[in-house]
């Protein structure tokens, strides 16, 4: 508890220092990638950390600041770090996904990520973007408004970051390697965590519980991040309402809810008023899964504790939605809307230059060494993405041939009843490093369609280098004749990661005004590993200011 209060104190001292600096400052951070022994759930194991911390340090910047983060890798794994949700305008070199915009940082080497926090404010996060190392390598990014600018909601008394994660008792990389040899998924995690701690409902976890102290009558801003690898999560606080005010570093029309739904990769900031009887209240999270797929369905807890209440008082548990509460999920998502004010407009593309339709599928490909002679795989438009051996951005910038093709199809080659009865025949996919070439400044509409190949499932999709507007969503097959008439083109939510509903579709729009190579993938690590990913090559514009910047001199070699 004292640690939490202390960290809040230093946070506000730091923000105070920020406010006395010039309009745009230079912020420098040193990230040492180190292996450290950590104990959770009565198990101790070595994990990969940043500066020995789990989770890692929060990056605090002000909108407009330039940020230099020097990453030095002392771990036995290759490393790269993605600054999730930062647009990295013309600067894919700082985006971080291994073999997409950079080669990884080898053991004993360094790389400085150099980027600007331009035209963004709110909550984002950073994480490893290679192997499954984001299991433990992650942290928050807080972008404060520009000097003199305020939040478009009541100023909170204090704020705190809540990062939702997952914990495995065993070495995750070993589990993943074993699973890949068998052609099967690795086992689900052993616990979820809040700020790296599973909470007192788990064994050996009394001391591994995050707690924050509140004063009655005060308003708090909670910046909630889903850093879990494979689970969408419900989150609630016993006895308290939450007012959603921002998602993925974009302000929203405020609305009040008892629970939120947050997919891997997403962030949600909420205001909470400490207006209940002084007591100890559990903050809790558990997965949302509306199909019979095994998940770690145990409940992680942290504690909201009113000042003066002794620690011996047992906390109250919240009522979370049922794990398969699809109605809550769709109702909650339908309430998310952009603020769309003169100061924070929603610049939704009305005219669309190019319509894309991508089917999301699971499949099986032959694997003579695997357990059943096949291995599970995943695809977009029946293409399973093959990772290259060199960074795609480098290959694009230097015109290196033979690394990728630019013929990713705009729609599936064979239309079918995407969400009808489960399809269990003809599950093979084609393999390839195929990208979609996009004209600079063109407007794109992309419909992501879930399919019942093996099973339907919800998929959170993340697009690097861009925010997009979620203009529509529905259950069943997308109908291009009828569904666009229902699109919200006025104040749709603006995000960088969106959930495609189970057995349904989501339509997004964006303007391709950021040249470079930009990854798009499912943020379920299991599906990304199986190939549920692709990338866009956004061409340069006509002027140097509309073209990819030259690569930095310390860009890691392959």
């Amino acid at each position: 508890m004292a640690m939490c209060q202390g960290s809040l104190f230093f946070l506000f001292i730091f923000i105070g220092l920020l406010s006395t600096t010039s309009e745009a400052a230079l912020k420098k951070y040193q990230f040492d990638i180190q292996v450290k022994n950590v104990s959770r759930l009565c198990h101790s194991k070595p994990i990969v950390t940043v500066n020995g911390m789990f989770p890692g340090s929060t990056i605090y910047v002000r909108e407009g600041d330039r940020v230099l983060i020097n990453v030095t890798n002392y771990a036995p794994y290759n490393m790269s770090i993605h600054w999730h949700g930062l647009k990295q305008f013309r600067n894919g070199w700082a985006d971080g996904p291994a073999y997409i915009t950079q080669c990884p940082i080898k053991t004993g080497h360094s790389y400085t990520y150099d980027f600007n926090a331009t035209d963004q404010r709110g909550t984002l996060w950073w994480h490893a973007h290679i192997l499954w190392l984001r299991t433990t390598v992650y942290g928050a990014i807080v972008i404060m408004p520009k000097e003199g600018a305020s939040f478009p909601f009541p100023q909170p008394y204090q704020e705190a970051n809540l990062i939702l994660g997952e914990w495995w008792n065993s070495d995750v990389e070993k589990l993943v390697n074993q699973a890949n040899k068998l052609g099967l998924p690795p086992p689900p995690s052993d616990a979820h965590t809040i700020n790296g701690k599973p909470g007192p409902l788990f064994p050996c976890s009394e001391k591994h519980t995050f707690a924050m102290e509140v004063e009655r009558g005060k308003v708090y801003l909670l910046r909630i991040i889903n850093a879990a690898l494979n689970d969408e999560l419900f989150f609630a606080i016993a006895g308290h309402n939450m007012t959603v005010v921002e998602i993925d570093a974009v302000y929203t029309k405020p609305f009040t809810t008892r629970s939120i739904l947050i997919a891997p990769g997403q962030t949600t900031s909420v205001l909470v008023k400490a207006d209940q009887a002084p007591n100890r209240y559990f903050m809790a999270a558990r997965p949302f899964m509306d199909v019979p797929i095994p998940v770690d369905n145990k409940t992680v807890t942290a504690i909201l504790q009113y000042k003066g209440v002794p620690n011996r008082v047992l906390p109250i548990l919240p009522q979370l939605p049922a794990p398969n509460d699809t109605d809550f999920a769709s109702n909650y998502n339908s309430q998310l809307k952009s603020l769309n004010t003169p100061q924070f407009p929603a610049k939704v593309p009305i005219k669309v230059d190019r319509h894309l339709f991508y089917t999301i599928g699971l499949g099986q490909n032959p694997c003579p060494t695997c357990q059943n002679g096949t291995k599970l795989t995943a695809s977009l438009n029946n293409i399973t993405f093959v990772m290259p051996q060199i960074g795609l951005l480098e290959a694009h910038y230097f015109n290196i041939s033979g690394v990728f093709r630019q013929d990713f199809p705009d729609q599936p080659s064979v239309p079918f009843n995407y969400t009808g009865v489960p399809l269990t025949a003809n599950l093979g996919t084609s393999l390839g490093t195929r990208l979609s070439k996009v004209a600079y400044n063109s407007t794109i509409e992309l419909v992501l369609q879930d399919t019942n190949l093996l099973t339907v499932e919800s998929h959170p999709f993340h697009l690097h280098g861009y925010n997009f507007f979620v203009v529509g969503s529905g259950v069943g097959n997308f109908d291009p004749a009828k569904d666009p008439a229902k699109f919200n083109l006025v104040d749709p939510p603006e995000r960088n990661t969106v959930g495609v509903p189970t057995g349904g579709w989501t339509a997004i729009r964006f303007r391709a005004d950021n040249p470079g190579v930009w990854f798009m993938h499912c943020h379920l690590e299991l599906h990304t590993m199986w190939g549920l990913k692709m990338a866009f090559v956004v061409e340069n514009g006509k002027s140097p200011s509309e073209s990819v910047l030259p690569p930095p001199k310390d860009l890691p070699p392959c």
Side-chain angles (χ1 to χ4, degrees):
M1 186 72 68
M3 277 182 67
C4 174
Q5 289 173 294
S7 62
L8 279 172
F9 173 77
F10 283 114
L11 162 60
F12 284 94
I13 290 289
F14 185 80
I15 290 169
L17 287 171
L18 284 184
S19 64
T20 62
T21 60
S22 61
E23 181 69 18
L26 174 64
K27 300 288 163 40
K28 292 185 178 181
Y29 287 85
Q30 175 63 40
F31 274 22
D32 288 336
I33 310 298
Q34 304 165 328
V35 172
K36 182 185 177 183
N37 273 327
V38 169
S39 294
R40 295 288 186 273
L41 275 60
C42 322
H43 290 74
S44 179
K45 69 170 185 177
I47 66 168
V48 181
T49 69
V50 169
N51 300 336
M53 297 169 64
F54 170 59
S57 316
T58 299
I59 301 293
Y60 288 104
V61 299
R62 202 175 271 291
E63 183 186 346
D65 286 351
R66 181 182 173 196
V67 188
L68 294 178
I69 303 174
N70 184 65
V71 177
T72 303
N73 186 9
Y74 297 103
Y77 300 97
N78 285 344
M79 176 56 65
S80 75
I81 293 185
H82 171 50
W83 318 94
H84 185 114
L86 277 155
K87 293 177 188 171
Q88 307 290 10
F89 186 62
R90 302 168 51 219
N91 185 30
W93 313 108
D95 191 42
Y99 301 107
I100 306 297
T101 57
Q102 68 167 92
C103 295
I105 307 163
K106 296 183 173 71
T107 305
H109 292 257
S110 297
Y111 176 49
T112 299
Y113 292 92
D114 181 350
F115 56 86
N116 296 301
T118 305
D119 193 29
Q120 291 183 271
R121 76 295 304 161
T123 312
L124 296 171
W125 65 300
W126 56 264
H127 60 83
H129 212 301
I130 185 169
L131 307 172
W132 282 44
L133 294 176
R134 74 178 177 92
T135 309
T136 56
V137 178
Y138 60 81
I141 301 173
V142 174
I143 308 174
M144 298 301 292
K146 281 183 178 173
E147 191 96 39
S150 58
F151 298 129
F153 48 79
Q155 180 71 25
Y157 174 65
Q158 283 182 343
E159 57 179 74
N161 302 329
L162 300 179
I163 310 182
L164 314 177
E166 288 185 83
W167 173 265
W168 278 261
N169 288 329
S170 302
D171 182 312
V172 175
E173 295 304 325
K174 285 182 182 169
L175 291 176
V176 169
N177 289 338
Q178 288 164 359
N180 280 336
K181 283 176 186 167
L182 296 171
L184 299 171
S189 55
D190 295 293
H192 287 91
T193 57
I194 296 177
N195 292 346
K197 299 173 179 180
L201 304 186
F202 287 90
C204 305
S205 298
E206 277 295 327
K207 65 177 182 177
H208 295 136
T209 302
F210 175 77
M212 65 175 285
E213 188 175 86
V214 297
E215 290 185 39
R216 193 153 193 261
K218 305 283 191 190
V219 175
Y220 296 81
L221 178 66
L222 303 183
R223 300 177 182 272
I224 305 164
I225 297 163
N226 187 350
L229 276 81
N230 293 307
D231 291 332
E232 290 187 78
L233 296 166
F234 291 123
F235 174 88
I237 306 170
H240 294 73
N241 285 327
M242 295 175 282
T243 301
V244 177
V245 292
E246 177 231 310
I247 53 172
D248 292 5
V250 180
Y251 297 133
T252 60
K253 287 185 170 69
F255 69 94
T256 300
T257 182
R258 296 297 277 188
S259 303
I260 68 166
L261 174 64
I262 184 166
Q266 292 182 336
T267 71
T268 304
S269 295
V270 299
L271 293 175
V272 177
K273 187 170 186 184
D275 57 2
Q276 297 302 299
N279 208 328
R280 299 175 85 218
Y281 297 88
F282 271 133
M283 303 184 277
R286 77 166 173 223
F288 163 57
M289 176 54 74
D290 53 359
V291 287
I293 290 174
V295 294
D296 169 11
N297 63 2
K298 298 177 283 294
T299 302
V300 55
T301 54
I303 296 172
L304 187 84
Q305 178 158 342
Y306 280 67
K307 195 172 182 178
V309 176
N311 286 354
R312 65 178 178 275
V313 174
L314 288 175
I316 301 164
L317 263 173
Q319 274 291 122
L320 285 160
N324 63 349
D325 195 339
T326 305
D327 287 344
F328 177 91
S330 58
N331 289 340
Y332 173 82
N333 284 325
S334 70
Q335 293 180 81
L336 296 169
K337 291 185 167 60
S338 288
L339 205 50
N340 195 19
T341 61
Q343 190 180 2
F344 303 107
K347 298 176 183 175
V348 189
I350 303 301
K351 175 181 156 288
V352 173
D353 296 321
R354 190 158 154 208
H355 292 266
L356 307 177
F357 183 81
Y358 292 176
T359 55
I360 303 162
L362 300 177
Q364 287 176 325
N365 282 338
C367 174
T369 60
C370 293
Q371 184 171 284
N372 302 316
T374 59
K375 65 178 177 183
L376 289 165
T377 186
S379 65
L380 285 166
N381 282 353
N382 207 46
I383 298 163
T384 296
F385 190 85
V386 176
M387 293 296 275
Q389 301 301 306
I390 177 178
L392 293 176
L393 180 58
E394 210 171 334
H396 166 62
Y397 187 86
F398 291 109
N399 290 315
I400 302 170
S401 61
V403 178
F404 63 86
R405 288 159 49 183
Q406 298 186 92
D407 62 349
F408 191 91
D410 286 6
Q411 55 269 321
S413 56
V414 181
F416 59 98
N417 181 2
Y418 307 114
T419 56
V421 295
L423 299 166
T424 54
N426 303 319
L427 293 173
T429 65
S430 68
L431 309 180
T433 310
R434 298 170 67 179
L435 279 58
S436 179
K437 188 176 177 182
V438 176
Y440 178 79
N441 213 35
S442 60
T443 52
I444 307 295
E445 179 182 289
L446 166 59
V447 176
L448 289 159
Q449 173 73 61
D450 188 32
T451 67
N452 207 354
L453 289 160
L454 284 180
T455 179
V456 289
E457 191 176 347
S458 177
H459 298 271
F461 265 82
H462 173 47
L463 175 60
H464 291 230
Y466 289 91
N467 281 357
F468 48 73
F469 291 96
V470 186
V471 294
S473 186
V475 176
N477 296 342
F478 174 72
D479 185 338
K482 294 180 182 174
D483 286 326
K486 299 177 238 169
F487 284 178
N488 176 4
L489 302 179
V490 177
D491 59 356
E494 184 181 344
R495 313 206 69 138
N496 62 59
T497 306
V498 67
V500 178
T502 300
W505 56 271
T506 292
I508 66 172
R509 288 187 182 183
F510 63 97
R511 180 177 293 281
D513 56 3
N514 190 6
V517 176
W518 301 107
F519 207 21
M520 189 184 77
H521 60 95
C522 180
H523 222 275
L524 304 179
E525 201 62 37
L526 181 63
H527 293 170
T528 301
M529 176 179 79
W530 286 347
L532 195 48
K533 49 198 173 186
M534 57 82 66
F536 293 103
V537 181
V538 179
E539 295 179 295
N540 286 336
K542 292 177 180 172
S543 70
S545 66
E546 297 173 341
S547 302
V548 176
L549 292 166
K553 289 188 170 53
D554 64 338
L555 187 71
C558 275

